[in-house]
Structures are given as structure tokens and as C-alpha cells.
């Protein structure tokens, strides 16, 4: 095989389920994916396309090269840069309830920096007035409708596939079936590839004769979320509602986060 620039990218979102989609799709014989996040279109763009290509796995003519870097979705320059690489690039965005996503994001940061302020403290500029701090990254990422506008300047909606992070847990085979259809490959990954891990709280891959892939995602996945005051959750739901509705209308899909 030869190293090719990716024909498909998982571009977002952080803490949405991108690692799961990557690990699940890698089971497919027609997909070869980079295991690490190259951050080419946000941090390493100056290194050039040859450097980027050199990172890719070797593929046969019939195989799709794929990489995932969830921060692309919120990077202003990423859509234009990807378009300049290839206007035919297929884009996958894994989204989940923005409030849950923000809490998951905070939980991850807290595990690395135990002395950060509280979730409530970071979420609001003024909590009594209900003023949410939209500049805090954990909040900002979940404003999907806002970020999507940048992508739609370069790519038609038909070239962007949205995966529901919630359905990825309840119906992994169904969600991955749609991903395979979008990539134009046969539905190879089915129900028989998954089992539900009760401890983790999400589906894992079964080991098969042909696949020595890890059965479950790493320790950092499925962490118990920090307990948040229900009132804070309600205020954030209110904040996200208009963005969610606009997002549903734009993509023509109701993710039922309300």
C-alpha cells in the first residue's frame, strides 16, 4: 500500500465519543486509521501536507484513510485548510448533549488539574443573573450551530455526517451502520461486534479471530462525572436551547437533548 492524504476526517467534538467511533470503524477491513491525533489543521499546519501524509497508515487503492482530531470542529481555519487539501473530504462530527459534554470536559480537566475552580464558577460570569460564560472552552464547544457555520461556507451538508453520542451508547451498530453508509463502504460492523460493558456504561468491541483490537476504551473513558447542582444544569440547558434548536434545523435531525 501507499501513504495517502485522508479521504475522511473525524473533526469533532471533544468528549462527544470520537475515540469510540475511531476504534469501532477501525475494525472495518476497508478503513485504515491513524491511532493518534495529528492536530495538523489546527497546530501543525505549518509543517505542510507532505509531513501530514507521512503520518498516515499505508492503504490499498480500495481502502479509506481516516484520522481524527476533535479540536478541528472549533478551529476557525480548519474548514478552509481541509477544503484546500481536498474539497471531497468526508467529515464526521460526533455530537452529544452540550451540557453533559461540558461536564465530561470539566471532569477530564479536573483529573489532570485538581486545583481548578468549580464547574459552576467557570460556567457563569454572573450566576444570579444567569449569565453563562460562553468564552470558557467547555461551554463554547457545545455551541454546535455556531461552529457549523464555518464548515458550511466550504462544505455542503451532504459531506458532513453527524453521529449521536447518545445513540452510539444505546445502539452502536445502528450508528456505525450509518457511518459506514456515509463512507460508502459495506456494512461490515454489526451487532455481533459489540457487547455492553456495565461497569464502563458503554459498548465495547468483542475480540474476534481477525481482530486483536482492545475490547474497551482506555481508563480515561467512562469516568464518573462530577456532581453538579441541578439548578446549574437547568440554567445551562436554557442557555443551549436556542443553539440546539438552530443546530437541529440546520442539519435536519433532532438529537432530543431538550
Amino acid at each position: 500500500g501507499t501513504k495517502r492524504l485522508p479521504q475522511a476526517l473525524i473533526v469533532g467534538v471533544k468528549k462527544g465519543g470520537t475515540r469510540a467511533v475511531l476504534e469501532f470503524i477501525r475494525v472495518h477491513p476497508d478503513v485504515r486509521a491513524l491511532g493518534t491525533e495529528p492536530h495538523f489543521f489546527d497546530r501543525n499546519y505549518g509543517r505542510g501536507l507532505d509531513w501530514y501524509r507521512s503520518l498516515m497508515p499505508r492503504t490499498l487503492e480500495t481502502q479509506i484513510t481516516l484520522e481524527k482530531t476533535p479540536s478541528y470542529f472549533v478551529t476557525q481555519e480548519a474548514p478552509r485548510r481541509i477544503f484546500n487539501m481536498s474539497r471531497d473530504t468526508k467529515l464526521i462530527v460526533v455530537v452529544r448533549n452540550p451540557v453533559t459534554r461540558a461536564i465530561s470536559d470539566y471532569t477530564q480537566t479536573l483529573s489532570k488539574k485538581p486545583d481548578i475552580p468549580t464547574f459552576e464558577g467557570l460556567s457563569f460570569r454572573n450566576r444570579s443573573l444567569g449569565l453563562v460564560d460562553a468564552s470558557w472552552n467547555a461551554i463554547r464547544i457545545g455551541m454546535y450551530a455556531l461552529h457549523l457555520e464555518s464548515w458550511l461556507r466550504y462544505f455542503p451538508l451532504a459531506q458532513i455526517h453527524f453521529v449521536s453520542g447518545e445513540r452510539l451508547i444505546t445502539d452502536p451498530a445502528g450508528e456505525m451502520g450509518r457511518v459506514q453508509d456515509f463512507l460508502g463502504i459495506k456494512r461490515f460492523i454489526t451487532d455481533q461486534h459489540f457487547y455492553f460493558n456495565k461497569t464502563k456504561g458503554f459498548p465495547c468491541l468483542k475480540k474476534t479471530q481477525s481482530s486483536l483490537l482492545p475490547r474497551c476504551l482506555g481508563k480515561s473513558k467512562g469516568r464518573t462525572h462530577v456532581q453538579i447542582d441541578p439548578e446549574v444544569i437547568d440554567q445551562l440547558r436554557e442557555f443551549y436551547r436556542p443553539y440546539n434548536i438552530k443546530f437541529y434545523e440546520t442539519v435536519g435531525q433532532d438529537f432530543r437533548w431538550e
Side-chain angles (χ1 to χ4, degrees), residues 50-248:
D50 287 340
W51 174 82
Y52 184 47
R53 184 190 278 113
S54 75
L55 304 175
M56 296 302 148
R58 294 182 177 276
T59 51
L60 304 170
E61 277 294 326
T62 53
Q63 291 174 316
I64 290 172
T65 306
L66 179 81
E67 73 108 327
K68 83 135 179 138
T69 305
S71 49
Y72 291 163
F73 190 64
V74 297
T75 302
Q76 203 65 47
E77 306 79 22
R80 177 178 50 82
R81 290 170 172 177
I82 293 167
F83 178 84
N84 288 340
M85 172 184 74
S86 166
R87 61 179 58 198
D88 298 324
T89 308
K90 291 184 173 185
L91 307 165
I92 295 169
V93 187
V94 190
V95 287
R96 78 193 274 201
N97 184 320
V99 181
T100 323
R101 198 221 66 80
I103 297 167
S104 178
D105 201 332
Y106 175 79
T107 304
Q108 183 178 38
T109 309
L110 189 67
S111 71
K112 297 172 188 169
K113 302 175 186 169
D115 52 353
I116 57 166
T118 63
F119 179 81
E120 289 87 337
L122 291 165
S123 294
F124 295 95
R125 279 183 298 149
N126 184 326
R127 193 176 154 202
S128 58
L129 293 175
L131 290 177
V132 172
D133 189 353
S135 69
W136 181 35
N137 218 20
I139 295 291
R140 196 166 175 75
I141 291 171
M143 298 155 75
Y144 305 138
L146 196 73
H147 306 299
L148 184 58
E149 284 173 10
S150 313
W151 294 88
L152 294 177
R153 283 188 203 114
Y154 292 91
F155 295 97
L157 209 48
Q159 246 167 277
I160 310 173
H161 179 71
F162 298 92
V163 175
S164 159
E166 285 82 14
R167 283 199 306 261
L168 195 59
I169 294 170
T170 57
D171 178 24
E175 278 304 285
M176 292 312 296
R178 287 183 279 275
V179 170
Q180 292 168 92
D181 293 349
F182 171 69
L183 292 173
I185 53 183
K186 68 173 185 290
R187 284 199 176 199
F188 171 83
I189 303 157
T190 60
D191 271 331
Q192 62 195 22
H193 285 86
F194 300 100
Y195 73 96
F196 192 80
N197 183 312
K198 287 197 178 78
T199 325
K200 284 267 185 192
F202 54 70
C204 299
L205 288 164
K206 287 180 185 166
K207 267 197 166 85
T208 58
Q209 280 73 31
S210 62
S211 136
L212 295 169
L213 279 162
R215 279 203 293 269
C216 251
L217 302 176
K219 287 188 187 70
S220 69
K221 307 298 176 186
R223 280 194 196 95
T224 306
H225 286 181
V226 184
Q227 282 301 301
I228 307 294
D229 177 349
E231 215 173 279
V232 168
I233 290 175
D234 286 342
Q235 283 175 297
L236 289 178
R237 277 201 189 119
E238 277 307 307
F239 167 77
Y240 279 122
R241 183 169 284 122
Y243 294 100
N244 289 346
I245 290 166
K246 188 170 182 214
F247 181 63
Y248 299 167

